[in-house]
């Protein structure tokens, strides 16, 4: 079954052709990063307009790259939630038009489930049930996948997502948006014991995350040092990045280890843009080893937003009977 998938929930316009949820035939991503970098973050209205300009070309490129035409496609899939509402609506409207004009079924896909499904494209043995940890620019969620389409939320970010904290700390250190990857490289060169940051926890909620205090602590440190006349050089950046990353990664691994202590070893799936972080990947490998759990990591190419992951999840949504009509709407927030 060949699926044409569309993703436009944030600042990447993406299209892909995926076969049977497991094989990527072609994936294309048009990134808007250069546009949003001018403003230090994503500007929603600009994102919607940029999606509108790019979407038709990206879809054509994905079909051409797979050496297929629309007639060869069995299903049209689209991210319908969560994300920036105007950005989502661009993809949803385009997919609806395509499904209507071609007479093909339209499959709605939840973005977070999609991130997890990126792993199906590279791990043929991976099947639910498993524990899913999605760490991205907009989301930090610890979930239980009981089946391909039955997710239970165990814990999530109560304020800023991990990627948001990475990007804002990068910005105060003078790095261009999105600064997550640059923070990753800097952290490798820094001293993680230099600054004592504390990612903190939520009273009465063992598995939820809070990263806004950590982000504020970094911003206050940098502002304080600047006011004292300190020049923000690479050594300072590296030490801050290393200390920040150690705190954030510690918060993620401690939640996961608590779960494994209480519930025993099980399969763990990491996903999302921040899943590309080398320090997080290493720490989770160590945690999994310690508890005898099996860890599945997405390849770096499928960590950030893409449509291949939406096509992978769409196959299982279709098998479970999910099908949208032309009244499909987009939702800025929606539980997994
Ligand atoms: O999944 P994604 O593309 O978008 C959302 O669904 O939110 O994630 C983007 C986020 C950005 O915050 C970016 O800075 C972060 O992923 N990111 C990283 C790394 N690569 C991308 N964060 C830390 N380390 C990285 N290597
Ligand atoms: Zn995402």
């Amino acid at each position: 079954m060949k699926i044409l998938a569309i993703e436009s929930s944030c600042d990447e316009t993406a299209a892909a052709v995926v076969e049977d949820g497991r094989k990527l035939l072609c994936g294309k991503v048009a990134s808007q990063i250069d546009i949003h970098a001018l403003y230090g973050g994503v500007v929603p209205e600009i994102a919607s307009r940029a999606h509108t300009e790019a979407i038709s070309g990206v879809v054509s490129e994905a079909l051409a790259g797979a050496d297929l035409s629309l007639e060869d496609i069995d299903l049209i899939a689209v991210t319908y939630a969560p994300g920036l509402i105007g950005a989502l609506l661009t993809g949803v409207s385009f997919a609806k038009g395509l499904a209507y004009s071609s007479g093909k079924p339209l499959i709605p896909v939840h973005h977070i489930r999609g991130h997890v499904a990126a792993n199906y494209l590279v791990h043929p043995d991976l099947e639910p049930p498993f524990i899913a940890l999605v760490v991205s620019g907009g989301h930090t969620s610890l979930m239980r996948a009981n089946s391909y389409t039955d997710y239970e939320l165990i814990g999530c970010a109560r304020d800023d997502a991990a990627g948001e904290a990475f990007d804002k700390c990068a910005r105060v250190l003078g790095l261009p948006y999105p600064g997550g990857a640059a923070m990753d490289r800097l952290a490798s060169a820094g001293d993680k014991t230099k600054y004592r940051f504390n990612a903190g926890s939520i009273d009465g909620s063992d598995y939820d995350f809070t990263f806004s205090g950590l982000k504020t602590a970094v911003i206050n440190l940098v502002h304080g040092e600047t006011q004292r006349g300190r020049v923000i050089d690479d050594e300072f950046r590296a030490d801050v990045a290393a200390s920040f990353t150690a705190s954030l990664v510690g918060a993620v691994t401690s939640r996961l280890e608590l779960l494994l202590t209480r519930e025993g070893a099980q399969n763990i799936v990491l996903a999302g843009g921040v899943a590309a972080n080398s320090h997080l990947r290493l720490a989770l490998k160590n945690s999994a080893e310690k508890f005898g759990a099996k860890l599945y990591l997405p390849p770096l190419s499928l960590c950030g937003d893409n449509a291949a992951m939406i096509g992978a999840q769409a196959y299982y949504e279709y098998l479970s009977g999910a099908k949208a009509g032309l009244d499909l709407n987009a939702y800025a927030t929606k539980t997994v």
Side-chain angles (χ1 to χ4, degrees):
M1 180 151 287
K2 294 188 181 64
I3 302 170
L4 172 63
I6 294 169
E7 153 66 41
S8 70
S9 66
C10 191
D11 58 351
E12 332 275 358
T13 317
V17 184
V18 172
E19 194 167 359
D20 296 337
R22 295 280 175 168
K23 190 171 173 206
L24 173 59
L25 301 183
C26 181
K28 296 283 176 188
V29 180
S31 174
Q32 305 174 5
I33 281 176
D34 290 349
I35 309 171
H36 299 295
L38 298 171
Y39 307 93
V42 179
V43 183
E45 180 57 23
I46 294 177
S48 312
R49 286 166 190 268
H51 284 307
T52 308
E53 284 169 20
I55 198 159
S56 183
V58 173
V59 167
S60 301
E61 279 177 31
L63 283 170
D67 210 11
L68 297 171
S69 66
L70 190 56
E71 290 79 67
D72 305 313
I73 296 296
D74 301 296
L75 305 172
I76 311 284
V78 67
T79 307
Y80 76 106
L84 301 172
I85 193 65
L88 284 165
L89 279 169
T90 311
V92 166
S93 306
F94 191 88
K96 278 202 249 184
L98 216 50
Y100 179 63
S101 59
S102 64
K104 298 181 196 293
L106 177 63
I107 312 298
V109 177
H110 192 285
H111 185 76
I112 305 291
R113 291 188 189 186
H115 268 300
V116 174
N119 283 277
Y120 302 148
L121 296 165
V122 291
H123 301 296
D125 64 318
L126 175 60
E127 282 176 8
F130 52 74
I131 296 298
L133 184 56
V134 175
V135 194
S136 76
H139 313 275
T140 312
S141 309
L142 183 60
M143 298 165 294
R144 189 174 284 113
N146 297 316
S147 75
Y148 287 105
T149 53
D150 175 19
Y151 275 79
E152 241 176 274
L153 190 63
I154 300 171
C156 65
R158 292 284 192 100
D159 38 53
D160 294 337
E164 164 83 11
F166 264 108
D167 292 344
K168 291 299 179 317
C169 291
R171 184 160 83 176
V172 78
L173 289 169
L175 304 168
Y177 170 84
M183 290 281 282
D184 191 349
R185 286 189 295 274
L186 277 169
S188 303
D191 173 3
K192 66 180 179 193
T193 64
K194 189 84 181 197
Y195 301 101
R196 251 171 216 277
F197 296 128
N198 181 8
S201 51
I202 306 272
D203 264 358
S205 170
D206 293 343
Y207 296 115
D208 281 346
F209 302 89
T210 166
F211 293 124
S212 73
L214 172 62
K215 176 191 77 176
T216 306
V218 170
I219 292 172
N220 287 347
L221 170 81
V222 177
H223 285 167
E225 292 292 318
T226 309
Q227 277 159 11
R228 278 190 281 277
R230 179 172 192 156
V231 176
I232 306 301
D233 58 12
D234 275 349
E235 188 186 344
F236 177 68
R237 284 194 187 95
D239 289 341
V240 172
S243 304
F244 162 83
T245 303
S247 177
L248 186 141
V249 167
V252 175
T253 51
S254 66
R255 265 66 165 183
L256 185 67
E257 292 197 1
L258 180 65
L259 189 74
L260 295 176
T261 305
R262 288 178 176 166
E263 298 189 3
Q266 43 203 312
N267 289 341
I268 302 155
V269 176
L270 180 66
V274 183
N277 187 271
S278 61
H279 310 278
L280 179 63
R281 291 169 87 97
L282 182 63
L284 290 175
K285 269 185 203 159
N286 291 337
S287 294
E289 219 167 276
K290 194 160 108 190
F291 286 84
K294 181 157 186 194
L295 176 67
Y296 292 88
L297 296 171
L300 297 190
S301 60
L302 293 177
C303 288
D305 289 346
N306 64 83
M309 65 188 203
I310 302 303
Q313 180 61 22
Y315 178 69
Y316 297 100
E317 298 291 343
Y318 172 75
L319 292 184
S320 79
K323 193 178 161 219
L326 291 179
D327 57 351
L328 175 67
N329 205 351
Y331 300 90
T333 56
K334 192 160 184 54
T335 48
V336 70

